[in-house]
CSV table of all heavy atoms in Angstrom, one decimal:
chain,number,residue,atom,x,y,z
A,232,LYS,N,93.2,142.3,95.2
A,232,LYS,CA,93.6,143.7,95.3
A,232,LYS,C,94.7,143.8,96.4
A,232,LYS,O,95.5,144.7,96.4
A,232,LYS,CB,92.5,144.7,95.6
A,232,LYS,CG,91.3,144.5,94.6
A,232,LYS,CD,91.6,145.1,93.3
A,232,LYS,CE,90.5,144.9,92.3
A,232,LYS,NZ,90.2,143.5,91.9
A,233,THR,N,94.5,143.0,97.4
A,233,THR,CA,95.5,143.0,98.6
A,233,THR,C,96.8,142.5,98.1
A,233,THR,O,96.9,141.7,97.1
A,233,THR,CB,94.9,142.2,99.8
A,233,THR,OG1,94.5,141.0,99.2
A,233,THR,CG2,93.9,142.8,100.5
A,234,PRO,N,97.9,142.8,98.8
A,234,PRO,CA,99.2,142.3,98.4
A,234,PRO,C,99.2,140.8,98.3
A,234,PRO,O,98.7,140.1,99.1
A,234,PRO,CB,100.1,142.8,99.5
A,234,PRO,CG,99.4,144.0,100.0
A,234,PRO,CD,98.0,143.7,99.9
A,235,PHE,N,99.9,140.3,97.2
A,235,PHE,CA,100.1,138.9,97.0
A,235,PHE,C,101.5,138.5,97.4
A,235,PHE,O,102.5,139.0,96.9
A,235,PHE,CB,99.8,138.5,95.6
A,235,PHE,CG,100.1,137.1,95.2
A,235,PHE,CD1,99.8,136.0,96.1
A,235,PHE,CD2,100.6,136.8,94.0
A,235,PHE,CE1,100.1,134.7,95.8
A,235,PHE,CE2,100.9,135.4,93.7
A,235,PHE,CZ,100.7,134.4,94.6
A,236,ASN,N,101.6,137.6,98.4
A,236,ASN,CA,102.9,137.1,98.9
A,236,ASN,C,103.1,135.7,98.4
A,236,ASN,O,102.5,134.8,98.9
A,236,ASN,CB,102.8,137.2,100.5
A,236,ASN,CG,104.1,136.7,101.2
A,236,ASN,OD1,105.0,136.3,100.5
A,236,ASN,ND2,104.0,136.7,102.5
A,237,LEU,N,104.1,135.6,97.5
A,237,LEU,CA,104.4,134.2,97.0
A,237,LEU,C,105.5,133.6,97.8
A,237,LEU,O,106.6,134.1,97.8
A,237,LEU,CB,104.8,134.4,95.5
A,237,LEU,CG,105.2,133.1,94.8
A,237,LEU,CD1,104.1,132.1,94.7
A,237,LEU,CD2,105.8,133.5,93.4
A,238,GLU,N,105.2,132.5,98.4
A,238,GLU,CA,106.2,131.7,99.1
A,238,GLU,C,106.9,130.8,98.2
A,238,GLU,O,106.2,130.1,97.3
A,238,GLU,CB,105.5,130.8,100.2
A,238,GLU,CG,105.7,131.2,101.6
A,238,GLU,CD,105.0,130.2,102.5
A,238,GLU,OE1,105.3,129.1,102.4
A,238,GLU,OE2,104.2,130.7,103.3
A,239,MET,N,108.2,130.7,98.3
A,239,MET,CA,108.9,129.9,97.3
A,239,MET,C,110.3,129.5,97.8
A,239,MET,O,110.9,130.2,98.7
A,239,MET,CB,109.0,130.6,96.0
A,239,MET,CG,109.5,132.0,96.2
A,239,MET,SD,109.5,132.9,94.6
A,239,MET,CE,111.3,132.8,94.3
A,240,SER,N,110.9,128.6,97.1
A,240,SER,CA,112.3,128.2,97.4
A,240,SER,C,113.2,129.1,96.5
A,240,SER,O,112.7,129.9,95.7
A,240,SER,CB,112.6,126.8,97.1
A,240,SER,OG,112.6,126.6,95.7
A,241,ILE,N,114.5,128.9,96.6
A,241,ILE,CA,115.4,129.7,95.7
A,241,ILE,C,115.8,128.9,94.4
A,241,ILE,O,116.7,129.2,93.7
A,241,ILE,CB,116.7,130.2,96.4
A,241,ILE,CG1,117.5,129.0,97.0
A,241,ILE,CG2,116.3,131.2,97.5
A,241,ILE,CD1,118.9,129.4,97.4
A,242,ASN,N,115.1,127.8,94.2
A,242,ASN,CA,115.3,127.0,92.9
A,242,ASN,C,115.1,127.9,91.7
A,242,ASN,O,114.3,128.8,91.6
A,242,ASN,CB,114.1,125.9,92.9
A,242,ASN,CG,114.1,125.2,91.6
A,242,ASN,OD1,113.6,125.8,90.6
A,242,ASN,ND2,114.4,123.9,91.6
A,243,LYS,N,116.1,127.8,90.8
A,243,LYS,CA,116.1,128.7,89.6
A,243,LYS,C,114.8,128.8,88.8
A,243,LYS,O,114.4,129.9,88.5
A,243,LYS,CB,117.3,128.4,88.7
A,243,LYS,CG,117.5,129.4,87.7
A,243,LYS,CD,118.7,129.2,86.8
A,243,LYS,CE,118.7,130.3,85.7
A,243,LYS,NZ,117.5,130.4,84.9
A,244,GLU,N,114.2,127.7,88.6
A,244,GLU,CA,113.0,127.7,87.8
A,244,GLU,C,111.9,128.5,88.5
A,244,GLU,O,111.2,129.3,87.9
A,244,GLU,CB,112.5,126.2,87.6
A,244,GLU,CG,111.2,126.1,86.8
A,244,GLU,CD,110.2,125.0,87.2
A,244,GLU,OE1,110.6,124.1,88.0
A,244,GLU,OE2,109.1,125.1,86.8
A,245,ILE,N,111.8,128.3,89.8
A,245,ILE,CA,110.8,129.0,90.6
A,245,ILE,C,111.1,130.5,90.7
A,245,ILE,O,110.2,131.4,90.6
A,245,ILE,CB,110.7,128.4,92.0
A,245,ILE,CG1,110.4,126.9,91.9
A,245,ILE,CG2,109.7,129.2,92.9
A,245,ILE,CD1,108.9,126.6,91.6
A,246,VAL,N,112.4,130.8,90.9
A,246,VAL,CA,112.8,132.3,90.9
A,246,VAL,C,112.4,132.9,89.6
A,246,VAL,O,111.9,134.0,89.5
A,246,VAL,CB,114.3,132.5,91.3
A,246,VAL,CG1,114.7,133.9,91.1
A,246,VAL,CG2,114.5,132.0,92.7
A,247,ASP,N,112.7,132.2,88.5
A,247,ASP,CA,112.4,132.8,87.1
A,247,ASP,C,110.9,133.0,87.0
A,247,ASP,O,110.4,134.0,86.4
A,247,ASP,CB,112.8,131.8,86.0
A,247,ASP,CG,114.4,131.9,85.8
A,247,ASP,OD1,115.0,132.8,86.4
A,247,ASP,OD2,114.9,130.9,85.2
A,248,ILE,N,110.1,132.1,87.5
A,248,ILE,CA,108.6,132.3,87.5
A,248,ILE,C,108.2,133.6,88.3
A,248,ILE,O,107.4,134.4,87.8
A,248,ILE,CB,107.9,131.0,88.1
A,248,ILE,CG1,108.0,129.9,87.1
A,248,ILE,CG2,106.4,131.3,88.4
A,248,ILE,CD1,107.5,128.5,87.6
A,249,ALA,N,108.8,133.7,89.4
A,249,ALA,CA,108.5,134.9,90.3
A,249,ALA,C,108.9,136.2,89.5
A,249,ALA,O,108.2,137.2,89.6
A,249,ALA,CB,109.2,134.8,91.6
A,250,LEU,N,110.1,136.1,88.9
A,250,LEU,CA,110.6,137.4,88.2
A,250,LEU,C,109.6,137.8,87.1
A,250,LEU,O,109.4,138.9,86.8
A,250,LEU,CB,112.0,137.1,87.6
A,250,LEU,CG,113.1,136.9,88.7
A,250,LEU,CD1,114.4,136.5,88.0
A,250,LEU,CD2,113.3,138.2,89.4
A,251,ASN,N,109.0,136.7,86.4
A,251,ASN,CA,108.0,137.0,85.4
A,251,ASN,C,106.7,137.5,85.9
A,251,ASN,O,106.1,138.4,85.4
A,251,ASN,CB,107.7,135.7,84.7
A,251,ASN,CG,108.4,135.7,83.3
A,251,ASN,OD1,108.4,136.7,82.6
A,251,ASN,ND2,108.9,134.5,82.9
A,252,LEU,N,106.3,136.9,87.0
A,252,LEU,CA,105.0,137.2,87.6
A,252,LEU,C,105.0,138.6,88.3
A,252,LEU,O,104.0,139.3,88.3
A,252,LEU,CB,104.5,136.1,88.5
A,252,LEU,CG,103.1,136.2,89.1
A,252,LEU,CD1,102.1,135.9,88.1
A,252,LEU,CD2,103.0,135.3,90.3
A,253,LYS,N,106.1,138.9,88.9
A,253,LYS,CA,106.2,140.1,89.8
A,253,LYS,C,105.1,140.2,90.8
A,253,LYS,O,104.3,141.2,90.8
A,253,LYS,CB,106.3,141.3,88.9
A,253,LYS,CG,107.5,141.4,88.1
A,253,LYS,CD,107.7,142.9,87.6
A,253,LYS,CE,108.3,143.0,86.2
A,253,LYS,NZ,107.3,142.9,85.1
A,254,PRO,N,105.0,139.3,91.8
A,254,PRO,CA,104.1,139.5,92.9
A,254,PRO,C,104.5,140.7,93.7
A,254,PRO,O,105.7,141.1,93.6
A,254,PRO,CB,104.2,138.2,93.7
A,254,PRO,CG,105.6,137.7,93.4
A,254,PRO,CD,105.9,138.1,92.0
A,255,HIS,N,103.7,141.1,94.6
A,255,HIS,CA,104.0,142.2,95.5
A,255,HIS,C,105.2,141.9,96.3
A,255,HIS,O,106.1,142.7,96.6
A,255,HIS,CB,102.8,142.5,96.4
A,255,HIS,CG,103.0,143.6,97.3
A,255,HIS,ND1,102.8,144.9,97.0
A,255,HIS,CD2,103.4,143.6,98.6
A,255,HIS,CE1,103.0,145.7,98.0
A,255,HIS,NE2,103.4,144.9,99.0
A,256,GLN,N,105.2,140.6,96.8
A,256,GLN,CA,106.3,140.2,97.7
A,256,GLN,C,106.5,138.7,97.5
A,256,GLN,O,105.6,137.9,97.2
A,256,GLN,CB,105.8,140.4,99.2
A,256,GLN,CG,106.8,140.0,100.2
A,256,GLN,CD,106.2,140.1,101.6
A,256,GLN,OE1,105.5,141.0,102.0
A,256,GLN,NE2,106.5,139.1,102.4
A,257,VAL,N,107.8,138.3,97.8
A,257,VAL,CA,108.0,136.8,97.9
A,257,VAL,C,108.6,136.6,99.3
A,257,VAL,O,109.2,137.4,99.9
A,257,VAL,CB,109.0,136.3,96.8
A,257,VAL,CG1,108.5,136.5,95.4
A,257,VAL,CG2,110.4,136.9,97.0
A,258,THR,N,108.3,135.4,99.8
A,258,THR,CA,108.9,134.9,101.0
A,258,THR,C,109.7,133.7,100.7
A,258,THR,O,109.2,132.7,100.2
A,258,THR,CB,107.8,134.6,102.1
A,258,THR,OG1,107.1,135.8,102.4
A,258,THR,CG2,108.5,134.1,103.4
A,259,LEU,N,111.0,133.8,100.9
A,259,LEU,CA,111.9,132.7,100.6
A,259,LEU,C,111.9,131.7,101.7
A,259,LEU,O,112.1,132.1,102.9
A,259,LEU,CB,113.3,133.2,100.2
A,259,LEU,CG,113.4,134.1,99.0
A,259,LEU,CD1,114.8,134.5,98.8
A,259,LEU,CD2,112.8,133.5,97.8
A,260,VAL,N,111.7,130.4,101.4
A,260,VAL,CA,111.7,129.4,102.4
A,260,VAL,C,112.6,128.2,101.9
A,260,VAL,O,112.8,128.0,100.7
A,260,VAL,CB,110.2,128.8,102.7
A,260,VAL,CG1,109.3,129.9,103.2
A,260,VAL,CG2,109.7,128.2,101.4
A,261,PRO,N,113.1,127.4,102.9
A,261,PRO,CA,113.8,126.2,102.4
A,261,PRO,C,112.7,125.2,102.0
A,261,PRO,O,111.6,125.2,102.5
A,261,PRO,CB,114.5,125.7,103.7
A,261,PRO,CG,113.8,126.3,104.8
A,261,PRO,CD,113.1,127.5,104.3
A,262,GLU,N,113.1,124.3,101.1
A,262,GLU,CA,112.1,123.3,100.7
A,262,GLU,C,112.8,121.9,100.5
A,262,GLU,O,113.8,121.8,99.9
A,262,GLU,CB,111.6,123.8,99.3
A,262,GLU,CG,110.2,123.2,99.0
A,262,GLU,CD,109.6,123.8,97.8
A,262,GLU,OE1,109.3,125.0,97.8
A,262,GLU,OE2,109.4,123.1,96.8
A,263,LYS,N,112.1,120.9,101.2
A,263,LYS,CA,112.6,119.6,101.0
A,263,LYS,C,111.5,118.8,100.4
A,263,LYS,O,110.3,118.9,100.8
A,263,LYS,CB,113.0,118.9,102.4
A,263,LYS,CG,114.2,119.6,103.0
A,263,LYS,CD,114.6,118.7,104.2
A,263,LYS,CE,115.3,119.6,105.2
A,263,LYS,NZ,114.7,119.5,106.5
A,264,ARG,N,111.8,117.9,99.5
A,264,ARG,CA,110.8,117.1,98.7
A,264,ARG,C,109.9,116.3,99.6
A,264,ARG,O,108.7,116.2,99.4
A,264,ARG,CB,111.5,116.3,97.7
A,264,ARG,CG,110.7,115.8,96.5
A,264,ARG,CD,110.0,116.9,95.8
A,264,ARG,NE,110.9,118.0,95.3
A,264,ARG,CZ,111.4,118.0,94.1
A,264,ARG,NH1,111.2,117.1,93.2
A,264,ARG,NH2,112.1,119.1,93.7
A,265,ARG,N,110.5,115.7,100.6
A,265,ARG,CA,109.7,114.7,101.4
A,265,ARG,C,109.0,115.3,102.6
A,265,ARG,O,108.2,114.6,103.3
A,265,ARG,CB,110.5,113.5,101.8
A,265,ARG,CG,111.0,112.7,100.6
A,265,ARG,CD,110.6,111.3,100.7
A,265,ARG,NE,111.6,110.6,101.6
A,265,ARG,CZ,112.8,110.2,101.2
A,265,ARG,NH1,113.1,110.3,99.9
A,265,ARG,NH2,113.6,109.6,102.0
A,266,GLU,N,109.2,116.6,102.9
A,266,GLU,CA,108.6,117.1,104.1
A,266,GLU,C,107.1,117.3,103.9
A,266,GLU,O,106.6,117.5,102.8
A,266,GLU,CB,109.2,118.5,104.5
A,266,GLU,CG,108.9,119.6,103.4
A,266,GLU,CD,109.8,120.8,103.6
A,266,GLU,OE1,110.6,120.9,104.5
A,266,GLU,OE2,109.6,121.7,102.7
A,267,LEU,N,106.4,117.2,105.1
A,267,LEU,CA,104.9,117.4,105.0
A,267,LEU,C,104.6,118.9,104.8
A,267,LEU,O,103.7,119.3,104.2
A,267,LEU,CB,104.3,117.0,106.3
A,267,LEU,CG,103.9,115.5,106.5
A,267,LEU,CD1,103.3,115.2,107.8
A,267,LEU,CD2,103.0,115.1,105.4
A,268,THR,N,105.4,119.7,105.5
A,268,THR,CA,105.3,121.2,105.4
A,268,THR,C,106.7,121.8,105.6
A,268,THR,O,107.6,121.0,106.0
A,268,THR,CB,104.3,121.8,106.3
A,268,THR,OG1,104.2,123.2,106.2
A,268,THR,CG2,104.6,121.4,107.8
A,269,THR,N,106.9,123.1,105.5
A,269,THR,CA,108.2,123.7,105.7
A,269,THR,C,108.7,123.3,107.1
A,269,THR,O,107.9,123.6,108.1
A,269,THR,CB,108.1,125.2,105.5
A,269,THR,OG1,107.4,125.5,104.3
A,269,THR,CG2,109.5,125.8,105.5
A,270,GLU,N,109.9,122.8,107.2
A,270,GLU,CA,110.3,122.2,108.5
A,270,GLU,C,111.1,123.2,109.4
A,270,GLU,O,111.3,123.0,110.5
A,270,GLU,CB,111.0,120.9,108.3
A,270,GLU,CG,110.1,119.8,108.1
A,270,GLU,CD,110.8,118.5,107.6
A,270,GLU,OE1,112.0,118.5,107.4
A,270,GLU,OE2,110.1,117.5,107.5
A,271,GLY,N,111.7,124.2,108.7
A,271,GLY,CA,112.5,125.1,109.5
A,271,GLY,C,112.8,126.3,108.7
A,271,GLY,O,112.3,126.4,107.5
Side-chain angles (χ1 to χ4, degrees):
K232 309 283 176 296
T233 43
F235 173 38
N236 177 2
L237 176 64
E238 249 185 56
M239 52 182 256
S240 72
I241 57 163
N242 170 289
K243 186 176 176 304
E244 182 216 343
I245 302 284
V246 172
D247 287 344
I248 289 172
L250 291 172
N251 253 323
L252 184 74
K253 291 199 217 83
H255 181 84
Q256 182 190 317
V257 299
T258 298
L259 299 181
V260 300
E262 205 173 293
K263 289 190 213 127
R264 200 53 54 94
R265 293 233 282 277
E266 66 193 355
L267 275 178
T268 179
T269 313
E270 281 170 356

